Amino acid sequence: MTQTRPLRVRPSWDEYFLAFTTLAATRSSCLRRQVGAVIVKERNILATGYNGPPKGAAHPNDVGCLRDRLGVPSGERHELCRGLHAEQNAIIQAAYHGVSIAGSTLYCTNQPCGICAKMIMNAGIVRIVYIDPYDDEIARAMLAESDIVIEQMRPGVPNKGTGA
């Protein structure tokens, strides 16, 4: 009599790549929100990013957060932040290494803001999969005008996503 092993449930491709976004977010030095992003094409990770200051600049842990000191609400006055968003860092990382991200999927822990939405649109990314919403009406409106597929996916909740 042969004994059968219990079936191991493998994550979907979307779940798999979203797990990398949460890992990337652990590198963030932002005092307000830790965000991670992963750019994927043909089931291969092309670039990752997390929110934080540019190379060589001091981290908020060392110098504090100007937006906190000024009482700026989340989602407003992005120009006062010394850090880059995770999506921006992932796009820049791909460009820095000469990797084309046209036709790719961007996985991120949070729905992109308006600034990131513009960069995503111009970079040729065709799909966005995110975990948590972000209240940015401009981003939603601009992305709605594009042909980019946008899907929210909560880990552990079935999704109708197509996979990367």
Side-chain angles (χ1 to χ4, degrees), residues 8-46:
R8 185 175 61 88
V9 178
R10 295 173 63 199
S12 69
W13 285 109
D14 286 341
E15 291 167 328
Y16 177 74
F17 291 121
L18 282 173
F20 281 99
T21 69
T22 59
L23 179 61
T26 65
R27 291 283 308 148
S28 171
S29 61
C30 180
L31 301 175
R32 290 180 161 206
R33 180 190 319 246
Q34 287 68 51
V35 180
V38 176
I39 300 175
V40 174
K41 188 173 182 180
E42 298 172 2
R43 296 185 179 159
N44 288 292
I45 295 174
L46 304 179

Side-chain angles (χ1 to χ4, degrees), residues 7 15 18 24 26 61 67 69 85 92 104 122 126 134 143:
L7 290 177
E15 291 167 328
L18 282 173
T26 65
N61 289 340
R67 295 177 67 213
R69 283 197 301 272
H85 289 186
I92 292 166
S104 65
N122 276 358
V126 297
Y134 185 72
L143 289 169

